[in-house]
Structures are given as structure tokens and as C-alpha cells.
Amino acid sequence: MKTETDSAVTETLLYHEQTKHHFHRYARSLGFLDWATQPNPFRFYEGVTAVRLPLLQKDPASEHLALYERRRNAFQDFNCESIGAFLELSLGISAWKSIPGSTWALRMNPSSGNLHPTEAHLILPALPGVTAGIFHYNSYLHALEPRAEVPETLFLPLPARNERGEDRGEGNSR
């Protein structure tokens, strides 16, 4: 005797089998994208005060080889400007495209066409205008959205240890 639960499980498994990707065919679909019901391509956390990051005023002056040879790059201060530049160039919006009736963003780090773009979370010490915490990078706003506060002590240096894991005392180095 089949129960209602058995029928629901059977129906769910059948649907899954009929609509999943297979080695020899794509997943069953409507044959078109339903633009009206797509999820928002940007994640927003409600009820938080986003910390806006500055946008670069001009492209960084670098040679092609600077991408591959670290010595060609000057060290940057760790601040909101350098964090903003890093996020803008690695995960930010590179352009907006549109056709009549539709507009969409192109990202520096696309997600292979999926509907879930690459997201980033940062754990940051206190900086001017930013409390120590965990933040979500919102590429639409080019801002950090606070997710949790963390104690400043998290960012204190760990004591030096010897090979046996014993504290070597402050000021000692290997």
C-alpha cells in the first residue's frame, strides 16, 4: 500500500531524473529563458549600512609582465582604497550591456553563465571608517556589507613557537 509520502518521493525522484543534465543531453527545459522570473543577480543584505569603497580614478600603471612577476609591483598600504581597487579589478562590474527591454552587468570574474555570480567575503581588521568584522562584497554598490563583528584581538600576532610548539617568548624569531 503506497502512502502519500511514497507518492511524493516517487514524483520528486521522477522529476529530478527527467530534468537533470545527462552525459548525452542537456537538462529538459522550456527552451527559452523566462526573464521575468530570474533571480536578482546581485546579493543584498537588508538592514545593514554598507561601507562604500572608492573606485579607481584611473587604471593602474603596470606593464603586462607585472601580472606574473611580483617584483614589478610596489607594495600597497592595506586600507579602504587598496581593498576597493583589489575588489574592483577582481570581482567588480566591468561594463553594463543592454538591448531594448533588458540591461545586465558584466563582471570582472564571470561565473560561467550561471545565475549565481562569484561572491566574496572578507575578514578585516579595524580600518578608518570600518570596524573589525566579516563583510560581504556587494559589486553592484562597490561596497562592503557588514555580516558580523569580530574582536580586535583576532588580529593580534600569534606568539612565535619552536619546532615542538612551545612558546619561544616575545621578540624571538626563527
Side-chain angles (χ1 to χ4, degrees), residues 122-126 131-135 147-155:
L122 294 84
I123 302 172
L124 297 174
T131 10
I134 300 172
F135 298 86
R147 301 301 304 131
E149 288 185 20
V150 296
E152 257 310 299
T153 55
L154 178 70
F155 300 98

Side-chain angles (χ1 to χ4, degrees), residues 88-106:
E88 179 182 349
L89 295 172
S90 61
L91 295 170
I93 296 172
S94 61
W96 286 92
K97 294 268 189 159
S98 64
I99 57 172
S102 184
T103 301
W104 64 96
L106 299 180

Side-chain angles (χ1 to χ4, degrees), residues 63-123:
E63 303 170 21
H64 174 74
L65 288 178
L67 292 169
Y68 307 101
E69 296 176 9
R70 190 174 187 164
R71 66 180 167 77
R72 294 177 178 263
N73 296 293
F75 283 98
Q76 302 290 317
D77 291 332
F78 190 76
N79 54 33
C80 287
E81 288 75 23
S82 61
I83 292 167
F86 172 75
L87 291 169
E88 179 182 349
L89 295 172
S90 61
L91 295 170
I93 296 172
S94 61
W96 286 92
K97 294 268 189 159
S98 64
I99 57 172
S102 184
T103 301
W104 64 96
L106 299 180
R107 300 193 188 212
M108 297 299 266
N109 185 10
S111 63
S112 306
N114 291 322
L115 294 177
H116 52 278
T118 304
E119 298 289 336
H121 291 81
L122 294 84
I123 302 172

